[in-house]
Amino acid sequence: MGTPGEGLGRCSHALIRGVPESLASGEGAGAGLPALDLAKAQREHGVLGGKLRQRLGLQLLELPPEESLPLGPLLGDTAVIQGDTALITRPWSPARRPEVDGVRKALQDLGLRIVEIGDENATLDGTDVLFTGREFFVGLSKWTNHRGAEIVADTFRDFAVSTVPVSGPSHLRGLCGMGGPRTVVAGSSDAAQKAVRAMAVLTDHPYASLTLPDDAAADCLFLRPGLPGVPPFLLH
């Protein structure tokens, strides 16, 4: 839950969902996931929660795992949050749309203003939305269409919203992310570099760019801890 400009990464709460066994089963594979070591994934999930709570001083909210939602732990696809407003997304895959229900309830309980997508022609995955602290970029991908991007712009009218073509099977944030308030990090693939060049043309703000060997390494979060004296944290 960030604030404009230099407020990028300032958060008070973190919302996560437990890892279901179905994530490592045929259901997870059917959703396009590689083979998964379930025990390792669950351990890493516990480490993530500990770092969010202890290292960053965030209030941690955890939804229970749901076996019917193998991709449920990927909460970034279910909502776009800025300030006191939460836009509940409409995932491209109909099988994933029930994931938003538990997220909506948790965000309502926090007192956020909830915005729903009522247009059945819109698709929007949250990981196609990159907030830089100054503006939004929305990736037009297999997962997110123009109508979904328009709804982001309608919801967050205090910020410029630009669309970026995304080639291949990735979301925008699978190709690039924010490594700091003025730094875009991106993978070295053609798709990632094309996205960064498109962003540079569209923006009125100067951003430094850092190219990483692997696209997956760019999928990171720049966070400012709620604990006094603790420097900013880059969470991968």
Side-chain angles (χ1 to χ4, degrees):
M1 303 169 196
T3 54
E6 294 302 321
L8 175 69
R10 291 197 183 279
C11 303
S12 58
H13 295 72
L15 179 65
I16 61 177
R17 175 179 265 147
V19 179
E21 293 184 7
S22 57
L23 186 61
S25 71
E27 292 180 70
L33 292 177
L36 182 74
D37 183 331
L38 178 64
K40 181 180 179 182
Q42 291 173 335
R43 287 195 303 272
E44 290 179 342
H45 182 270
V47 170
L48 170 64
K51 288 188 180 297
L52 292 170
R53 184 174 52 249
Q54 298 165 16
R55 292 286 299 275
L56 297 177
L58 301 180
Q59 296 185 47
L60 186 65
L61 308 174
E62 184 168 5
L63 300 177
E66 295 190 37
E67 295 302 327
S68 63
L69 303 175
L71 299 184
L74 305 179
L75 290 183
D77 281 328
T78 60
V80 179
I81 304 171
Q82 169 54 37
D84 63 355
T85 298
L87 171 61
I88 304 301
T89 66
R90 189 170 186 271
W92 172 83
S93 170
R96 295 197 63 192
R97 290 175 191 164
E99 294 175 22
V100 307
D101 296 337
V103 173
R104 179 192 298 107
K105 176 64 165 58
L107 298 179
Q108 285 175 332
D109 290 346
L110 285 175
L112 295 183
R113 181 175 75 94
I114 303 298
V115 177
E116 304 276 0
I117 295 179
D119 189 337
E120 294 186 356
N121 294 316
T123 60
L124 177 67
D125 274 15
T127 46
D128 268 323
V129 182
L130 177 64
F131 180 62
T132 72
R134 295 168 171 79
E135 61 192 315
F136 286 92
F137 292 101
V138 181
L140 298 180
S141 68
K142 169 184 175 180
W143 319 100
T144 296
N145 63 16
H146 276 282
R147 184 63 189 125
E150 289 173 351
I151 292 172
V152 174
D154 289 342
T155 303
F156 302 103
R157 297 193 176 203
D158 290 341
F159 297 92
V161 178
S162 302
T163 57
V164 179
V166 176
S167 56
S170 294
H171 295 83
L172 179 61
R173 279 175 28 213
L175 301 173
C176 57
M178 296 303 294
R182 298 183 180 89
T183 303
V184 176
V185 294
S188 59
S189 71
D190 288 343
Q193 291 301 303
K194 285 179 181 177
V196 170
R197 288 195 294 270
M199 290 164 58
V201 170
L202 293 165
T203 185
D204 291 328
H205 303 285
Y207 299 106
S209 62
L210 176 64
T211 299
L212 305 175
D214 300 311
D215 289 356
D219 187 6
C220 57
L221 290 174
F222 174 78
L223 299 173
R224 297 179 186 271
L227 299 174
V230 178
F233 195 92
L234 197 60
L235 182 67
H236 181 263

